[in-house]
Every structure is written in C-alpha cells, then in structure tokens.
Amino acid sequence: MEYSQLSSKELLHIKNLGQLKAAGYTPKSVKDELRDNLIAKIKRKENVFEGIWGYEDTVIPDIERAILSKHNINLLGLRGQAKTRIARMMTHLLDEYVPVVAGSELNDDPLHPLSTQAKQLIREKGEDTPIIWWHRSDRYTEKLATPDVSVADLIGDVDPIKAATMKLSYNDERVIHFGLVPRSHRSIFVINELPDLQARIQVALFNILQEGDIQIRGFKLRLPLDIQFVFTANPEDYTNRGSIVTPLKDRIESQIITHYPKSISIGRKITEQEARLAQRPMDRIHVPELMKDLIEQIAVEARSSEYVDEKSGVSARLTISAYENLISTAERRLYRNGETDTVVRIVDLIGVIPAITGKVELVYEGEQEGAGLVAYNLIGKAIRTLFVSYFPSPEQKKKSKEGNPYVLPLSWFGEGNTLDLLTTDSDKEYKTALQGVPGLEKVVTDFVEHLPEREKEFFMEFALHGLAEYSQLSKKLVDTGMQFKDLFSSMFDMGAGGDVEDDEDEEGFN
C-alpha cells in the first residue's frame, strides 16, 4: 500500500525513521499540501471555507487561485470581514498528520532536516531516530502585529543562558533561540494587522519570503523554511497607523480584497450563525423576520452615515452583538413579567444601542452629536428604509387621490392623545396600548401580506415608528421606551421649553 493511502491510525503506528522510509514517505512542502488537498476538495465539490458567507463568487475564488499558485497571501479589508477566520480555516487543507523528528525545535522533516539538533540526532541513531506525528490543528501560528514586536520575537536571537548551560561558544549555531517564524516551519504563519509592524521588523521578513535564509546577530543561516504566510491588513493602515513597506508588498504574491455582505440576506446568515444564543430560551422568544432585517439594515445605514468614519468600517460584529442584545431585552422582559413567551418589539431596539456605540468610529461631526444619539438615529434610518417595503410612503399618500390610509391614527394623536410603549410592559399591556389607536390595526391588515396573528402588534408598532421617521408623528425616548404624540403639539411643547424630540440632542446621549 502506498504512503498516501495509509489511514491516520496506521500512520500513528510508525515510530522511527526506518519504518517511515519503508512506508514510502516522501517530503512535501506545506504549499504543495494546500494545493493538492484543495484540488481534491474542488473535484469533490466540497465547500472549503464552511460558514463564510457572501464570498462565494469574489474572495474565495481569489484565495483558491492563490493557493493553487502556491502564493503567500495578504488579505486586505476593513475590520469584521472574516480575514482571520479564513486564515484559520486554511488548516483544513493541510494533511491530517505529518512526521516530525522527535524533540526537534524546528519541527524537522525526518527526510529533510533543517536544525543542527535534528541532523545530529539522525546521524547518531540512523533508522532508529524516533518519529512523532504532528496534527494539522497544531500547524498554525498567529501573531498580532504591534509596535513592540521585535526581530527576536519573530526571527530569533542568541541565548547567552543556553550558551553558558551547554558550555558553547557564541560561534556555535546551537546558542540561537529561534523565534516564531522558524518555529512555524512546515506550518501556516499569520501576521494580523501587518502595517502595525515597524518598518525595520518588516524588513527582517524579506529574505524569508524570497531567498529562504535568516540572519540572527552574527549568524547567516541558510534555512529554507517551509511556511505558508498569510497577512491581514486594514486599508486605512496604509496611511494612518503605518504602512506595508514596498519591497515586502512586492514579495507577497497575492493581495486579496475582502468586503462586507452585499445583501441583507447574507448579513442575516452571518449574524444568525455567529450570535451566541445557546442556553437562551429561544423557543419562548419569537423574532419576526422584519426585525432580523432591521438589525442588518442598521449596519448598512452605519456604513453610509455621514457621522461614521467610512475608512474605519463597520464590523459584522455590530449586528451580531446587536442581535444578542435584542434577544436579551426580550428575555429580561420575559423574566420580569413572569410570562411564558413574548414577541420581540421595535421598542426593544433601545437595548441594542450599547452594541452600536462601541462598534462605530465617529468623525468629528458624529462626536459632536454624541455616540448614543448617532446610534439612535441609525436605528431610525433603518426603520425608514424598510418601512416602504411594507407600507405606502406617507409623503406620497398625503397627495394621493385615493386618500391617506394613516388619517385615523394621525387624527387620534392630533386630538392630543399620546402613546407610551415600554420595553418592560407585559404583552397584555403592550397589545392593549396599540389596539387603543384607532385605525392602526386596519393599516397593518390592509398592507402587510401573510400577516401572522402573533406579529400583528409588532407591525402596528412598526407603522408608528415609520410614521415618526417620515415626520408624521413625534417620537421621543423615555426612560425605558418610546412616547408617540402629535408632531405639531410637540413643536409647541418645545417652544414652551417642553419635550425634546428625537432629532435634537437628548439628555444622556451626549
């Protein structure tokens, strides 16, 4: 039987160099492993990067081409675009086990040793040289580039304690303590945020990428290291915090640009996959499909907002954290009111504001507005955008000959009535409050197709928020919820030093 046909269990029975040779083992580079296993997966039509959504026709084909070309890779994109996750998943393309000379510090291939230690051991023991098996999950090293990373950390340095203990001269190669890169021989090595690495440290990578040798102090070692390099970088880093030096960029053969989800449906897949909802009472909390779309739309609005720094980007972690907070808001209500189940409400979006404020980097104008108010306004814009997918535009219906379907609820508020919707209200209180607005239920039943009975009040509330976003009603934050009232009466209240509306700076948001 050929070596490539041996099972993992059979491989693990091989204990020394003689047995390994008898099995027909031949050395293979890490890039060849990646390439061969990728080809096999493509032929079997397997998904190489399981759980990575939205890149099927863009990023993933580029990565596969780079692997087939045996290139080192730079993943260039804004934060929260799965760059590191993709790098980690490349380990699935490695052989399950590879043989290593037992005790060697550079994970030496038994038939192609690099370190002095491994070479000496093979000379001494020959066919009896002990072999261990290295699993692919361990063949991955990741380093976050920070300004304090040194050449010694990455490449290595002379170890005086080692020299003294072993009574070696500083001219002996054995006094070297190798850094992360040589110790990642036969592995995937990832440097995250490459531009943050000081230029002089980046220069130290030149020879490793091109010539395959390293220089440590006075030693110039010819070590043809076998490493698949993957780098990640944020485009803004080229000008703000640092840059990738030009000769290093030239040595990284493939630069692949990542991007944010191009549709709400893709964003939803990512959020639902990544949100940590295990041990949550999800069987007791109903989340309407519209609410899932609203969470994704908040991120879409943030990415185009004049108050948010476009160069910094808005991570997919925003929607994941927001969705988790949304569920927690409903869950908290469930426990407070002792109810068996509940439906997520639009007003529950107040609970996602803390998940937004820490995830967006504001420009100067945004800082002046305040992070909380910017987050609140992003929620409002998301509601406004999706409102017309379910209901007719209030601006157009005001001029329509067919009549305004919103006239009854608007008239009710025009008579001086107000409506408070709180996140802590019981389901009964919530439904009673909404059912008390004349004509609101008819608006929902007339325009929302295939309306589930349990979501009726949710869409009634959505209609109110939409009317407020289209300046047909006034909406303002109260302690634990929202208050709706007539727009014109609220203007008079403002003139008399009364309520501050949602389009003004609210106390507690600055």
Side-chain angles (χ1 to χ4, degrees):
M1 184 181 290
E2 293 184 9
Y3 174 84
S4 59
Q5 296 176 324
L6 294 176
S7 67
S8 300
K9 189 176 181 180
E10 290 170 323
L11 289 176
L12 295 175
H13 281 104
I14 298 175
K15 301 295 185 182
N16 60 46
L17 181 56
Q19 293 173 346
L20 185 67
K21 288 179 178 178
Y25 170 77
T26 54
K28 182 192 285 188
S29 74
V30 64
K31 286 184 167 71
D32 282 328
E33 282 182 50
L34 292 168
R35 174 184 161 82
D36 292 348
N37 291 324
L38 174 61
I39 291 170
K41 282 183 176 287
I42 291 174
K43 286 180 176 179
R44 293 194 298 266
K45 294 183 170 49
E46 292 181 15
N47 187 355
V48 178
F49 298 96
E50 194 73 39
I52 302 295
W53 302 103
Y55 286 171
E56 294 86 355
D57 300 319
T58 53
V59 176
I60 290 176
D62 285 341
I63 293 172
E64 291 178 348
R65 283 188 282 267
I67 292 172
L68 291 173
S69 300
K70 298 195 279 191
H71 284 177
N72 294 307
I73 299 169
N74 181 27
L75 295 171
L76 181 66
L78 296 171
R79 55 183 170 177
Q81 293 184 351
K83 300 186 293 294
T84 305
R85 169 169 288 198
I86 288 170
R88 289 172 181 169
M89 293 183 78
M90 285 176 64
T91 56
H92 299 323
L93 293 174
L94 295 172
D95 290 346
E96 186 174 7
Y97 286 99
V98 292
V100 171
V101 175
S104 61
E105 57 184 336
L106 297 186
N107 313 306
D108 292 87
D109 188 309
L111 298 188
H112 191 198
L114 288 187
S115 66
T116 304
Q117 176 193 17
K119 290 175 181 177
Q120 183 176 344
L121 185 63
I122 292 172
R123 277 196 302 269
E124 291 174 359
K125 298 198 173 184
E127 304 286 280
D128 294 326
T129 303
I131 301 299
I132 61 171
W133 292 92
W134 199 16
H135 192 261
R136 61 183 165 213
S137 60
D138 298 320
R139 298 171 62 195
Y140 177 89
T141 306
E142 186 178 308
K143 179 65 178 172
L144 176 63
T146 54
D148 63 336
V149 173
S150 67
V151 173
D153 293 333
L154 290 181
I155 311 302
D157 204 349
V158 170
D159 186 350
I161 297 176
K162 193 175 182 181
T165 304
M166 298 176 67
K167 298 181 181 179
L168 298 172
S169 163
Y170 280 157
N171 293 324
D172 194 315
E173 289 182 10
R174 289 176 290 174
V175 303
I176 295 174
H177 175 78
F178 290 106
L180 280 173
V181 173
R183 289 177 182 273
S184 300
H185 177 52
R186 304 174 71 199
S187 300
I188 296 171
F189 187 82
V190 178
I191 297 182
N192 278 321
E193 308 300 340
L194 180 61
D196 285 353
L197 209 61
Q198 292 184 42
R200 65 185 180 85
I201 312 301
Q202 293 184 36
V203 169
L205 298 173
F206 287 1
N207 279 17
I208 297 173
L209 285 169
Q210 195 72 38
E211 286 80 20
D213 60 27
I214 61 174
Q215 296 181 25
I216 299 174
R217 299 292 181 177
F219 296 99
K220 182 177 180 181
L221 305 176
R222 182 66 184 172
L223 284 181
L225 294 171
D226 179 22
I227 298 175
Q228 169 67 55
F229 282 97
V230 180
F231 305 97
T232 73
N234 190 312
E236 69 157 316
D237 295 341
Y238 284 108
T239 53
N240 286 5
R241 295 201 298 262
S243 63
I244 302 176
V245 297
T246 304
L248 181 58
K249 280 195 287 185
D250 184 53
R251 285 167 168 80
I252 303 171
E253 297 95 336
S254 284
Q255 177 170 278
I256 298 167
I257 298 173
T258 59
H259 56 79
Y260 286 123
K262 294 185 176 181
S263 70
I264 293 290
S265 60
I266 293 172
R268 277 182 52 170
K269 283 183 180 180
I270 296 169
T271 301
E272 291 175 14
Q273 174 180 280
E274 300 300 320
R276 294 164 295 183
L277 300 178
Q279 303 181 337
R280 299 290 195 98
M282 295 307 296
D283 56 329
R284 299 169 59 192
I285 300 173
H286 176 66
V287 185
E289 296 301 304
L290 169 58
M291 179 55 87
K292 295 176 183 178
D293 290 344
L294 279 170
I295 291 291
E296 300 305 322
Q297 190 64 38
I298 291 170
V300 173
E301 299 294 342
R303 287 168 190 146
S304 60
S305 173
E306 60 184 328
Y307 296 124
V308 177
D309 186 357
E310 184 181 356
K311 293 180 180 177
S312 176
V314 177
S315 167
R317 286 181 281 271
L318 183 148
T319 56
I320 296 165
S321 298
Y323 191 65
E324 291 169 347
N325 264 17
L326 178 74
I327 299 300
S328 295
T329 306
E331 186 180 6
R332 180 174 178 267
R333 176 171 62 250
L334 206 63
Y335 301 142
R336 279 178 59 97
N337 297 329
E339 295 176 319
T340 55
D341 54 53
T342 190
V343 177
V344 167
R345 306 168 185 173
I346 301 293
V347 73
D348 289 341
L349 288 172
I350 293 173
V352 312
I353 290 176
I356 301 172
T357 52
K359 299 286 191 300
V360 292
E361 193 166 330
L362 303 179
V363 295
Y364 175 77
E365 293 80 359
E367 296 287 357
Q368 294 299 105
E369 289 286 322
L373 187 58
V374 169
Y376 177 65
N377 288 336
L378 290 174
I379 293 170
K381 286 184 176 181
I383 291 170
R384 180 185 172 95
T385 299
L386 294 185
F387 181 77
V388 290
S389 299
Y390 293 86
F391 299 102
S393 168
E395 294 172 344
Q396 294 176 358
K397 280 298 178 181
K398 284 175 70 175
K399 304 171 186 177
S400 173
K401 294 180 181 179
E402 300 170 3
N404 186 353
Y406 309 113
V407 66
L408 275 178
L410 292 177
S411 298
W412 185 78
F413 284 105
E415 292 168 3
N417 295 299
T418 62
L419 176 67
D420 289 354
L421 296 176
L422 308 180
T423 60
T424 53
D425 283 343
S426 67
D427 276 8
K428 184 177 179 181
E429 292 169 331
Y430 175 71
K431 291 177 181 179
T432 301
L434 287 166
Q435 292 289 350
V437 181
L440 187 57
E441 183 176 352
K442 187 176 187 306
V443 169
V444 170
T445 54
D446 283 353
F447 294 106
V448 180
E449 298 179 1
H450 312 296
L451 175 65
E453 183 64 29
R454 69 192 305 192
E455 295 181 10
K456 185 186 294 181
E457 284 75 23
F458 171 84
F459 275 94
M460 290 168 70
E461 185 192 355
F462 179 59
L464 291 179
H465 284 270
L467 289 171
E469 294 303 327
Y470 276 90
S471 302
Q472 306 297 301
L473 288 176
S474 163
K475 177 180 71 171
K476 78 164 191 173
L477 280 170
V478 292
D479 287 341
T480 59
M482 294 279 189
Q483 183 181 81
F484 295 89
K485 62 166 63 174
D486 180 62
L487 184 65
F488 294 105
S489 64
S490 67
M491 288 180 179
F492 289 123
D493 289 342
M494 286 170 59
D499 298 330
V500 180
E501 301 306 325
D502 64 277
D503 60 342
E504 299 291 334
D505 291 346
E506 299 222 17
E507 186 177 354
F509 281 92
N510 295 318

